[in-house]
Amino acid sequence: MTQKNQDDKQRHPLFFWMTAFLFTCLCWTPAWADSLEEQQLVEKAKHTVDSFMNDPTFNWFHKHAKDAKALVIIPQQLKAAFFLGVDGGSGVLVARDEETGKWSEPAFYVLGGLSFGAQFGGEASEVIIMAMTQGALEKLYSSSFKLGGDISYAVGPHGGAGVEGATSANLNADFLSFSRSRGVYLGISLEGSLISVDDDANEAYYGKKVRPVDILVTKSVKNKHSDGLRQAIMTAIK
């Protein structure tokens, strides 16, 4: 065997492993890339918490956020209507541990609904919904449910103009909602809106299929990216 053939034979294994490595690098998509949209939503949720706590018109919320069983944080809820109203938005749910006072990893949800009546215009809002009772928290574990009906809902006092802003909080309600709004919108309420688990977002964020109870109750998954949101909530309610 010539010297050239011997050199080629020795190089083949190295060439094989280098090719395999490059192929893997090109084909492999890191988990964080799959969850980029969810990471951005968590970041926006943190900014929503900060903006609420820096707004002096939300004094009641500032004082009572620590009493909530859980918070549904929707960084941007879009509404539009001409007699028939449509609203929707994506957000996260974090639950408070009764024993430690710490807040859970986020579970992803979507909110949407239809409304009828004398309503005109459009609005983009930041929304936080407080789950005040154990019954409200257990409703959030289900695949979907409507605000109102067998589970009571009320609008909490918040900044901004409009009918909702003039409604005082019903402290006995299972759910209380607070919103910071821009634009003009008349006669709208979240009552009747559907809150649904976003299974795809939860899977993307945690890298496997999970249900809300896995995230909020058994705490079987974790994503370090959520530390900023949970710390912001802890800081806000001190």
Side-chain angles (χ1 to χ4, degrees), residues 75-186:
Q76 186 176 54
Q77 183 196 18
L78 301 177
K79 302 178 184 178
F82 185 75
F83 288 104
L84 172 65
V86 181
D87 63 83
S90 298
V92 298
L93 165 70
V94 288
R96 179 173 57 84
D97 188 303
E98 296 280 358
E99 296 181 359
T100 65
K102 295 182 179 180
W103 293 83
S104 72
E105 297 284 336
F108 292 83
Y109 286 74
V110 292
L111 182 146
L114 297 175
S115 58
F116 302 88
Q119 47 190 335
F120 306 92
E123 182 179 64
S125 305
E126 296 174 291
V127 177
I128 296 181
I129 303 172
M130 299 171 65
M132 302 302 295
T133 65
Q134 186 62 31
L137 183 58
E138 290 174 359
K139 276 288 185 181
L140 289 164
Y141 296 156
S142 60
S143 296
S144 63
F145 71 97
K146 285 186 178 181
L147 287 173
D150 63 337
I151 197 82
S152 59
Y153 159 81
V155 177
H158 64 358
V163 174
E164 287 183 346
T167 304
S168 60
N170 177 359
L171 302 185
N172 294 320
D174 295 298
F175 288 100
L176 293 173
S177 71
F178 299 80
S179 63
R180 299 178 76 245
S181 305
R182 299 176 298 278
V184 178
Y185 200 88
L186 302 176

